[in-house]
Amino acid sequence: MAERTLHGTGATPRSGVGSVVWYGRDISLLDPDGVEVDPETEIERFADAVDTARTELESEREATAERVGEDEAAVFDAHIQFLEDPTIEDAVETMVSEGLPAPNAVDAAFGEHIEQFEGMDGRMAERADDLRDVRDRLLRLLTDGERVDLGDLPEGSVVLAERLTPSDTAQLDPERVAGFATVTGGRTSHAAIFARSLALPAVVGVGDALESVEGEEEVVIDGDSGKVVVSPDDTERAAAASDSGAAVVDESVETTDGRHVEVAANVGRPAELDSAAERGADGVGLYRTEFLFLDRETPPSEDEQYEAVREALDTFPDGRVVVRTLDIGGDKRIPYLDLPEEGNPFLGERGIRRSLNPDSDLFATQLRALLRAGADGAGDLAIMFPLVATIEELEAALDTLDAAAAEVGGHDADAVAPEVGVMIETPSAAFMADELAARVDFLSIGTNDLTQYVMAADRENERVDDLHDPTHPGVLRAIHRTVTAAHAEDAWVGMCGEMAGDPALTELLVGLGLDELSMSAVTIPEVKTAVSETEYSAASERGDRARLAATRSEVHTTVDT
Ligand code: PEP
Ligand code: MG
């Protein structure tokens, strides 16, 4: 076939080349009209399919736990629960007894539930993906459909799919898979985030044009430009095959004039720790602990949280691990925590607001787990509070931390005292950075939320994408203000929003005075290289010019020259 190029959204700035394996739902249902159905046989077939699906899920769970980690494996527990959901089972049986063949009844019963979840926000909407996954598994078993085993693909496979669910992505082995592309999905979809954390070339949201690519055709996945090149020429093939990104820099880096900048990783799941270490991270600059609370029925115990944090500290025995306390609300929802329905959840009960009330028990448990983990063994723990807007919130959080330290450390609370910091994500925190910095060891700028609130532009809404850009001078001035305030109080200041991982902005951020940059593992080598090629004194002048610019285009002229 002749070469052709399809366009989507690049999810990881990496390219890969390989042979197409299509993965997905390839099941046609019978037209139930005029079909003779024996309800008893159909109910038996359904029960057998549920049994087989359970066995498959249990073995996939075990294999994923071994290969990737317990957290990723937990998604299969959720699937087993959906599989055994009595409401769905009753609905299937009722429809079968009314004359529908079992596959059609499964499709209809799951369809109703899927629709309900699709109408909800954020994480709840992801449950719709889990339900689709379970439905498709049952349909495959009921219709003798074949399904590709994602955990056992030939080396050099490129997976193409309508969509990849959380359990699908958890099975992909980066050693064997050269990349993936999906018909649906955006940069913040679960599949895209997973690809970034494992540096897997990926393009999402290609649209129906992707369906024209045949199995076994050779394709290049260019996750930087968002292109899928079918039947590439030799030059494109060679360029993609040799793209392993910048060389990994294991040692810590400084600018040409000797200013040290820490380059750390953002992680959310234990499996991402190895990927971060392999890409030369100095430590962890943001551990999003809310991931430990997802895909399960009850919160993780103090001991489970202790183990997860110990694993991070053991991965970076000579580095710092900044653990952010539970940050839910907004777009992050956890079904069992019964979050309120809010008209504007991004301006509602989020982050530290929930930890102080109503999740104060969870907060105290988490702090005990962190303090215990920090006191045992290697690695330097730092604790960070999300979405702080007032000094009162910080002081209440510090009081809870003191109480937890007294419980854990007995008389010697100092023995378990890690560094403590605050995220700068609200305009109020940026304005109050001096007062905040006077009370803590460090500040870390969360530009994803800070940009959203400074620019009044929803981080999830592509219609205001142009405004949700941290290089607007309004955001740069908030960053500069924060850095100056922190340094005046002898606190260090980092950045853990997505902005920190863009190598094109490294010089600007170093020039603005950031001491630490923390990012998804994939661009750590590029950012480390960019730091070591930066001259701090020149970057600092340029940083001043950028923040004093009047428009974003002036900022870009300054950064690019
Ligand atoms: C941020 O807001 O920049 C941040 C790092 O936090 P999250 O993306 O988890 O909200
Ligand atoms: Mg945030």
Side-chain angles (χ1 to χ4, degrees), residues 266 286 288 290-291 324 327 331-332 350 423-425 445-450 459 496-498:
N266 291 354
L286 169 64
R288 290 182 163 104
E290 50 279 8
F291 282 88
R324 175 173 76 184
D327 181 22
D331 62 327
K332 298 172 188 157
R350 292 189 63 189
M423 284 192 77
I424 303 295
E425 297 174 285
I445 305 174
T447 45
N448 308 340
D449 278 315
L450 184 62
R459 60 190 273 185
C496 59
E498 289 294 306

Side-chain angles (χ1 to χ4, degrees), residues 110-460:
F110 274 85
E112 275 173 26
H113 280 67
I114 290 168
E115 243 172 60
Q116 280 169 14
F117 278 104
E118 271 173 343
M120 299 183 187
D121 291 335
R123 286 275 164 196
M124 289 301 265
E126 279 180 19
R127 297 284 82 81
D129 275 349
D130 291 328
L131 277 163
R132 272 191 209 96
D133 221 341
V134 179
R135 173 198 64 189
D136 291 352
R137 189 182 289 274
L138 284 171
L139 288 180
R140 173 176 51 82
L141 292 166
L142 285 165
T143 59
D144 291 331
E146 291 279 314
R147 198 160 82 147
V148 165
D149 179 358
L150 287 178
D152 189 24
L153 292 168
E155 204 161 311
S157 300
V158 168
V159 177
L160 301 191
E162 158 80 21
R163 66 170 73 227
L164 287 174
T165 63
S167 75
D168 295 334
T169 47
Q171 289 179 70
L172 292 176
D173 178 354
E175 299 291 318
R176 307 175 77 84
V177 176
F180 70 76
T182 53
V183 174
T184 60
R187 250 189 79 77
T188 57
S189 62
H190 185 96
I193 293 170
F194 182 86
R196 270 198 294 286
S197 67
L198 293 184
L200 202 58
V203 176
V204 295
V206 180
D208 292 339
L210 194 67
E211 311 274 1
S212 68
V213 187
E214 304 278 340
E216 295 182 21
E217 273 194 282
E218 192 175 46
V219 293
V220 161
I221 300 291
D222 181 344
D224 199 16
S225 65
K227 284 194 275 198
V228 177
V229 184
V230 188
S231 306
D233 64 27
D234 288 348
T235 322
E236 285 160 324
R237 184 184 300 116
S242 62
D243 178 22
S244 51
V248 171
V249 180
D250 281 323
E251 53 283 355
S252 64
V253 285
E254 53 182 44
T255 61
T256 56
D257 42 357
R259 185 180 165 86
H260 170 72
V261 179
E262 182 107 353
V263 180
N266 291 354
V267 300
R269 296 164 189 266
E272 291 167 11
L273 290 166
D274 287 344
S275 167
E278 278 161 21
R279 284 180 175 72
D282 296 332
V284 172
L286 169 64
Y287 194 138
R288 290 182 163 104
T289 55
E290 50 279 8
F291 282 88
L292 302 173
F293 287 68
L294 294 174
D295 290 327
R296 41 188 303 148
E297 294 300 300
T298 51
S301 66
E302 183 178 323
D303 283 350
E304 282 175 83
Q305 296 186 63
Y306 166 92
E307 291 298 339
V309 175
R310 265 305 338 143
E311 191 178 342
L313 289 161
D314 287 336
T315 308
F316 293 99
D318 304 317
R320 182 197 283 128
V321 173
V322 180
V323 180
R324 175 173 76 184
T325 59
L326 188 57
D327 181 22
I328 54 161
D331 62 327
K332 298 172 188 157
R333 306 187 71 85
I334 295 177
Y336 56 83
L337 287 186
D338 202 19
L339 267 61
E341 282 304 322
E342 295 176 297
N344 199 338
F346 274 121
L347 299 182
E349 204 172 54
R350 292 189 63 189
I352 197 69
R353 300 171 187 182
R354 281 199 66 90
S355 289
L356 296 175
N357 179 38
D359 297 333
S360 53
D361 287 348
L362 278 187
F363 188 44
T365 307
Q366 179 169 46
L367 291 175
R368 281 196 304 274
L370 298 185
L371 290 165
R372 281 175 46 214
D376 291 349
D380 282 334
L381 174 75
I383 297 179
M384 176 161 83
F385 302 123
L387 211 86
V388 170
T390 69
I391 302 302
E392 289 87 337
E393 284 167 347
L394 172 60
E395 287 187 337
L398 291 173
D399 286 347
T400 314
L401 183 62
D402 282 347
E407 276 181 63
V408 170
H411 296 299
D412 191 9
D414 281 350
V416 291
E419 279 190 306
V420 179
V422 167
M423 284 192 77
I424 303 295
E425 297 174 285
T426 63
S428 170
F431 284 124
M432 299 297 290
D434 47 356
E435 296 289 348
L436 292 168
R439 290 163 172 80
V440 292
D441 303 297
F442 68 96
L443 305 179
S444 182
I445 305 174
T447 45
N448 308 340
D449 278 315
L450 184 62
T451 307
Q452 148 163 282
Y453 298 127
V454 166
M455 301 302 296
D458 184 343
R459 60 190 273 185
E460 304 265 312

